Amino acid sequence: MSVKVIIPYNFSANDAKSMDFVTSNYLGREDVHLALFHGYQPVPVINSLNNPIMDKMNQATSHLRKQLNDQERMLAAVKQQLVAKGFRPQQIDCLFVALKEDLASDLIRLIINEKYDAVVLNKNPGNIINYFTRSLSGRIAKVLEPQVRVHIVN
């Protein structure tokens, strides 16, 4: 019986803590399957139809598309870092997903639908937003526990 673990990755300094946690807790286990997940807001497609204003908007969104391509490559590089630490490449998937609703809702839906056993989250300490809204980790833990093991790394 394999253990499926999903790790949301947002290219922040705290993500390194999640990777350290995953390595120290799951490295060497043949039954573990990891999924690196990054959810992003899709870039709108603009049909310029030879309209100079729409053409300028399309040029602006091309920068956003390039950023997304760079992030997708960086997520693949994180997989390679885990492979370099000792995980087998077939143990790791990269999920680079356009959000349909919001990050928490889409992630919860994915975890339930794909039957993940665990999720590794990290907190963003000192984030003022968390004083006014429920944190991502709090929302996910509230919905998923106890069916899914929720690891929150500080």
Side-chain angles (χ1 to χ4, degrees), residues 1-4 30-33 117:
M1 187 161 135
S2 67
V3 177
K4 291 176 67 175
E30 296 293 321
D31 63 334
V32 170
H33 187 84
D117 301 297

Side-chain angles (χ1 to χ4, degrees), residues 51-66:
N51 182 327
I53 294 171
M54 298 307 266
D55 222 16
K56 284 184 182 181
M57 288 180 69
N58 205 20
Q59 289 171 8
T61 60
S62 70
H63 173 70
L64 296 173
R65 282 190 287 280
K66 182 189 177 312

Side-chain angles (χ1 to χ4, degrees), residues 26-139:
Y26 294 108
L27 183 64
R29 290 187 54 181
E30 296 293 321
D31 63 334
V32 170
H33 187 84
L34 306 174
L36 297 170
F37 171 87
H38 179 74
Y40 64 90
Q41 289 296 330
V43 178
V45 176
I46 299 171
N47 188 353
S48 61
L49 294 174
N50 297 325
N51 182 327
I53 294 171
M54 298 307 266
D55 222 16
K56 284 184 182 181
M57 288 180 69
N58 205 20
Q59 289 171 8
T61 60
S62 70
H63 173 70
L64 296 173
R65 282 190 287 280
K66 182 189 177 312
Q67 282 182 324
L68 288 177
N69 289 337
D70 290 345
Q71 287 179 336
E72 191 168 16
R73 281 192 293 278
M74 289 188 302
L75 193 64
V78 172
K79 174 181 177 174
Q80 291 310 311
Q81 290 170 5
L82 289 171
V83 168
K85 289 182 180 185
F87 287 100
R88 290 176 294 123
Q90 35 305 19
Q91 285 183 281
I92 308 166
D93 288 328
C94 291
L95 307 175
F96 197 77
V97 179
L99 297 176
K100 291 180 176 69
E101 214 172 307
D102 63 76
L103 182 58
S105 300
D106 286 6
L107 187 54
I108 290 167
R109 191 176 312 104
L110 178 67
I111 291 168
I112 291 170
N113 291 343
E114 298 298 322
K115 297 177 176 42
Y116 282 94
D117 301 297
V119 58
V120 178
L121 303 167
N122 60 60
K123 280 191 168 184
N124 190 1
N127 188 345
I128 193 75
I129 285 280
N130 290 337
Y131 289 113
F132 302 107
T133 63
R134 288 188 289 167
S135 70
L136 176 70
S137 56
R139 285 178 63 193

